[in-house]
Amino acid sequence: MRTSALLLITLLSISSSHAFEISDNFWETGQAVFHVGISGSSPTGGTWNDAFKRSMAAWSSVGSFEFVAIDDYLDPCIDRGEGLFGDGATGVDFGASVCGSEFGESTLAVTLSAGQCLNQQCTGGFTITDADIVFNDGVTWDVYSGSLRLDGSSEFERVALHELGHALGLNHSTADAAIMRAFVSDTNSLQSDDIAGIASIYGAEEATLANIYGVTLVAPDNATISGPNNSNNLSGVLSSSDNQLDGKSLDLYQYTFENDSLIDIQLDSQSFDPFLYLVRVSATQASLPSSTFVDDNSGLGNNARINRSIQAGTYWLGVSSANNNAQGSYDVSIISSTSNPSSSFETFTSIYDVDVLINPNPNISGSLESTDFEFNNKFLDLVQIEVTTASAVKIDLSSSDFDTSLLLVDIVNNEVGTLALQNDDGGSGANSRIETTLQPGTYWLGVTSFDPNESGNYDIAISLVLP
Ligand SMILES: [Zn+2]
């Protein structure tokens, strides 16, 4: 269920420098699927579709964001039931109007972005779920490279490049040469300022481990490990056809640890001297040096073992060898344990006569019960958290018993302050998620249900959001 949606319109004007500007909006997956089925061809430069897809590929090649083209037509203006433009399916076409509204007098094209707000006021931007593009049919278009022609025609491919920049979350740049400058110019390719812009949202291409090493990732069964206690085992074979890292074969597995955990990973082989990597990766698959761990011989014999506490997050587990050209089978055992925080609740009664549970642990378990405080016929638990240093946080509320709804307010001088965030389904399934930056202070997390009179167990996980 969507809590709120916002429509953003960005324009490109004809005519004749700080630099890139990002919107607060981004594709959560780092990927946007475009239906590309514009009919017809330009007078001298081939089909519109080829030009549009070249522009998509240009953006995909310079950063960790990817445009994916599907070769079919989708009317960018069609309403597919979730609000105009916010249909979650992204199309492109020429149009005599912007889906019913007139083009501005000098407007060449419009990108219509929609998504799910990150907070109730939508002041923190939104995760983009749709970005339709309409080119002005009243303009004479062609496709060509180089300087703008003086014959009055507009060049389609560089305008597509510009609009796709809006679609991925960039605003206009003040850099003279940038493709994201507000006005069309002789620039017909992505410039360093544009590339810095996309990198600031999605991460730089160079920072990606997979890109550096050209590695293939494997997501093993049970790749999500959640607390309080969990284990996973896998077996594999290191071979000469694997990814190679410094002359050594490398198998990479991706695991997500949902809680801060004490982990014990053992890598054993009878065939070679194993070498173990554990590397935390960001949402854009950049490695985080502060959470990169390696081991050669901490296990039995020559075996490798990493036994330590780690923060919740996504990790790549690398199996390699201490020596070059080593091959053979191996076994990995992962044991993860999370301290169970549910017994550490203290309770106090707030000035609102509501019981507030105080819990200093980042992972909190509780249950909504019919004896709880009731608000709009929904049961409510309040959990107080203290933030000591300004932090970008991700707060997940999950339950298999009810459709969760998560509230976050700040408490100033024992009163509810100005911050009031709410989320219903921002997490997986019907779970809730709030991502925001919290200044030092006191906050109450409200745990409630989307539907009235629901009860059951829930878990809250608070983690730092990675860059
Ligand atoms: Zn623009």
Side-chain angles (χ1 to χ4, degrees):
M1 207 156 305
R2 294 181 180 205
T3 51
S4 52
L6 186 95
L7 179 67
L8 183 83
I9 301 184
T10 39
L11 307 169
L12 176 65
S13 299
I14 305 176
S15 134
S16 118
S17 308
H18 179 116
F20 69 83
E21 292 275 352
I22 61 172
S23 68
D24 288 327
N25 315 321
F26 58 93
W27 293 81
E28 206 164 18
T29 57
Q31 186 186 80
V33 176
F34 257 88
H35 295 262
V36 185
I38 315 166
S39 59
S41 294
S42 69
T44 65
T47 66
W48 307 119
N49 285 339
D50 285 347
F52 193 83
K53 286 194 276 190
R54 279 196 299 274
S55 297
M56 293 171 75
W59 280 113
S60 298
S61 70
V62 296
S64 297
F65 182 85
E66 193 182 15
F67 280 115
V68 176
I70 292 181
D71 291 320
D72 63 12
Y73 177 74
L74 183 96
D75 182 349
C77 295
I78 198 167
D79 176 3
R80 293 153 78 92
E82 292 191 61
L84 188 59
F85 312 119
D87 52 31
T90 294
V92 54
D93 200 4
F94 293 100
S97 70
V98 188
C99 306
S101 306
E102 291 203 3
F103 278 102
E105 202 160 316
S106 59
T107 303
L108 294 171
V110 171
T111 298
L112 302 153
S113 298
Q116 182 158 2
C117 293
L118 297 178
N119 66 36
Q120 206 158 27
Q121 298 77 29
C122 220
T123 52
F126 57 91
T127 56
I128 305 170
T129 55
D130 200 1
D132 297 296
I133 296 176
V134 185
F135 289 85
N136 188 344
D137 219 359
V139 170
T140 303
W141 292 99
D142 201 353
V143 173
Y144 55 85
S145 54
S147 303
L148 287 177
R149 289 180 195 156
L150 300 175
D151 62 3
S153 67
S154 291
E155 204 279 305
F156 177 86
E157 191 164 335
R158 72 195 70 186
V159 176
L161 207 50
H162 177 99
E163 294 304 322
L164 286 166
H166 286 314
L168 65 83
L170 287 171
N171 285 341
H172 286 149
S173 171
T174 52
D176 281 341
I179 206 79
M180 290 314 297
R181 204 168 71 122
F183 305 105
V184 71
S185 73
D186 289 344
T187 300
N188 67 343
S189 61
L190 297 179
Q191 305 298 303
S192 57
D193 182 71
D194 302 308
I195 294 166
I198 189 175
S200 75
I201 306 176
Y202 299 102
E205 182 92 316
E206 313 80 70
T208 303
L209 276 183
N211 197 50
I212 295 170
Y213 300 121
V215 293
T216 307
L217 265 179
V218 179
D221 293 339
N222 306 313
T224 297
I225 296 183
S226 50
N229 294 297
N230 210 330
S231 63
N232 193 226
N233 296 295
L234 67 89
S235 298
V237 177
L238 219 52
S239 77
S240 57
S241 60
D242 286 338
N243 307 299
Q244 297 291 310
L245 175 62
D246 297 335
K248 301 172 180 85
S249 299
L250 172 71
D251 281 353
L252 270 187
Y253 302 92
Q254 178 167 307
Y255 280 94
T256 298
F257 292 89
E258 293 198 323
N259 305 103
D260 293 350
S261 305
L262 181 65
I263 48 111
D264 186 1
I265 304 177
Q266 297 189 55
L267 167 62
D268 297 345
S269 175
Q270 315 246 339
S271 311
F272 59 91
D273 179 0
F275 194 94
L276 178 61
Y277 293 86
L278 185 68
V279 181
R280 189 176 179 193
V281 293
S282 73
T284 55
Q285 298 197 330
S287 64
L288 300 169
S290 62
S291 292
T292 295
F293 313 108
V294 298
D295 184 73
D296 182 12
N297 289 328
S298 294
L300 281 175
N302 282 337
N303 290 327
R305 180 177 187 180
I306 294 175
N307 186 3
R308 57 163 303 126
S309 58
I310 59 168
Q311 289 186 307
T314 297
Y315 288 78
W316 286 357
L317 192 155
V319 174
S320 189
S321 58
N323 306 307
N324 286 9
N325 303 316
Q327 294 163 22
S329 59
Y330 58 81
D331 298 294
V332 179
S333 146
I334 303 173
I335 298 171
S336 160
S337 37
T338 307
S339 58
N340 187 344
S342 57
S343 60
S344 59
F345 278 124
E346 286 175 58
T347 307
F348 80 94
T349 303
S350 74
I351 51 171
Y352 304 101
D353 292 329
V354 181
D355 284 346
V356 178
L357 311 168
I358 306 175
N359 190 303
N361 294 300
N363 299 298
I364 300 162
S365 299
S367 66
L368 276 190
E369 293 161 5
S370 56
T371 52
D372 284 342
F373 177 75
E374 263 187 75
F375 179 71
N376 288 347
N377 296 318
K378 296 164 188 170
F379 305 121
L380 175 72
D381 276 358
L382 286 178
V383 176
Q384 177 168 308
I385 59 171
E386 302 286 344
V387 174
T388 52
T389 53
S391 308
V393 295
K394 183 174 76 177
I395 304 168
D396 279 299
L397 168 65
S398 58
S399 172
S400 50
D401 294 333
F402 61 93
D403 181 356
T404 58
S405 182
L406 178 63
L407 315 168
L408 174 68
V409 295
D410 61 335
I411 301 298
V412 181
N413 298 326
N414 288 321
E415 296 280 352
V416 173
T418 53
L419 180 76
L421 304 181
Q422 186 272 332
N423 182 269
D424 175 25
D425 288 343
S428 61
N431 293 321
S432 309
R433 173 178 291 176
I434 289 175
E435 293 189 69
T436 189
T437 297
L438 295 180
Q439 299 304 316
T442 299
Y443 297 86
W444 286 356
L445 290 175
V447 176
T448 187
S449 58
F450 182 78
D451 297 312
N453 300 313
E454 288 204 305
S455 58
N457 294 326
Y458 60 82
D459 294 290
I460 300 171
I462 303 173
S463 53
L464 293 181
V465 174
L466 300 170

